[in-house]
Amino acid sequence: MTIIISLLLLASLLPHLTFTARVNVGIVNGTEAKPHSRPYMVSLQRNWQHVCGGFLISDEFVLTAAHCRERSETLTVVVGAHDLKNKTEGSVRIGVMSYHQHPNFTVEPVMNDIMLLRLDKKVTQNEKVNWISIPVKEEDIEVHSVCSVAGWGRLNINGSLSNRLMETHVKIMNNTECENKWAKYNYSASQMMCTYGDGGSCTGDSGGPLVCGKTAVGVTSFGDPDLCNSSELPEVYMKVSAYLAWIHTFIGNVY
């Protein structure tokens, strides 16, 4: 079983990112977001096709998952979007000046799955485009807190990507419980966190934020390879507060 899971984890990082250990998690049992109600959300795209989510944390930096970029490929970021197929809604495509995968990111096991993208131009802040706060210090979110995730990923494990931004509520899982469920797969309680609930992430939502209150506390990373929103192997997020020192070496202390 360990070998099978390891192969699935590796497969998740192939160029088309069709899988999140399934390292590339759409929203299941969710609802369509109110257009532009999450102005920090970005669509990370390869060849004009959505591959991952991400979120603005300043006027020129996007936080996302490290596995969303394969080797030295070129990605673009779309800001101000709701319906990715709507060419008249005013979304803006921006190039990436530089890619900063965490230096200790590994594929097998998946560790430090976090990446900063520096945009080649600063975004213009408006009602459709804005950044979201990140934690100011390292801390754990209270267990059972109601938070949310959003993305343009699959609506079920075998479904198609969603053109429109979807969202759902999730609750923070006890970290010891999550660690026990993922114990065989090198879960790190210090850098990861899990959620549970009726809805959750699926393939295509990796890199998007786990939002509690008005703060992005996690980066969507991986989950059960065979079932979106699994109760046995819950969705895993990189804990943003564990990476504050690394993040601020690039973006400075902007808060």
Side-chain angles (χ1 to χ4, degrees), residues 49-65:
Q49 298 296 314
H50 174 85
V51 293
C52 273
F55 51 105
L56 289 163
I57 60 170
S58 78
D59 59 357
E60 61 179 339
F61 280 96
V62 168
L63 197 58
T64 187

Side-chain angles (χ1 to χ4, degrees), residues 112-240:
N112 303 296
D113 186 18
I114 191 167
M115 176 170 61
L116 276 167
L117 308 177
R118 185 172 186 174
L119 304 179
D120 64 13
K121 67 177 182 179
K122 294 184 178 182
V123 300
T124 300
Q125 187 179 26
N126 56 50
E127 62 180 11
K128 295 181 180 179
V129 180
N130 203 351
W131 44 94
I132 188 172
S133 297
I134 59 175
V136 296
K137 62 181 180 179
E138 184 167 357
E139 59 185 355
D140 291 328
I141 306 302
E142 185 176 351
V143 176
H144 310 310
S145 294
V146 178
C147 303
S148 65
V149 290
W152 289 274
R154 298 183 189 276
L155 303 180
N156 60 68
I157 192 68
N158 296 312
S160 59
L161 296 175
S162 174
N163 292 329
R164 297 177 179 177
L165 184 67
M166 303 293 288
E167 64 185 6
T168 192
H169 288 107
V170 294
K171 294 181 179 180
I172 302 299
M173 180 177 286
N174 178 286
N175 219 345
T176 300
E177 180 181 356
C178 189
E179 188 173 21
N180 290 337
K181 288 177 178 289
W182 282 100
K184 297 180 180 179
Y185 313 112
N186 295 90
Y187 179 88
S188 170
S190 65
Q191 64 177 238
M192 300 175 185
M193 57 197 299
C194 289
T195 60
Y196 70 95
D198 294 332
S201 298
C202 194
T203 306
D205 288 327
S206 280
L210 171 63
V211 178
C212 297
K214 296 182 179 181
T215 304
V217 303
V219 178
T220 308
S221 180
F222 64 91
D224 188 319
D226 300 315
L227 179 65
C228 293
N229 198 34
S230 166
S231 59
E232 294 304 312
L233 292 175
E235 304 298 342
V236 178
Y237 307 80
M238 295 295 119
K239 187 165 64 173
V240 174

Side-chain angles (χ1 to χ4, degrees), residues 36 80 83-91 128:
H36 312 296
D83 185 342
L84 296 179
K85 299 299 183 183
N86 184 347
K87 305 302 182 183
T88 64
E89 69 175 357
S91 60
K128 295 181 180 179

